[in-house]
Amino acid sequence: MCAHNPPCPTAMAPDREAARPVAHRPEQGWSLLCNGVLLFEDTGELLPDGRIVAPHRPLALTVGSAA
């Protein structure tokens, strides 16, 4: 699917999110990558074969107050 040189990572590669976007709809919260992955702004993904990858953004660190 990717015509870039060097080619972008495939949809099954661990670094699939590094593929270039071919469509971006920030008002709807998603981007379509050239490898066919639909990437959502919450970091969830829909793979071309229909599998879902749950959001995986890092948790925010909370700073507690010292007593």
Side-chain angles (χ1 to χ4, degrees):
M1 190 178 245
C2 177
H4 300 112
N5 191 7
C8 293
T10 68
M12 298 306 139
D15 59 346
R16 64 182 155 259
E17 294 174 17
R20 294 185 188 181
V22 293
H24 182 64
R25 299 292 181 261
E27 69 280 2
Q28 296 178 355
W30 59 267
S31 295
L32 177 63
L33 305 181
C34 71
N35 58 7
V37 173
L38 193 56
L39 179 63
F40 296 96
E41 68 180 16
D42 69 352
T43 68
E45 302 170 15
L46 180 60
L47 302 181
D49 65 2
R51 287 187 291 150
I52 297 170
V53 177
H56 51 276
R57 77 171 76 171
L59 297 174
L61 295 175
T62 57
V63 178
S65 60

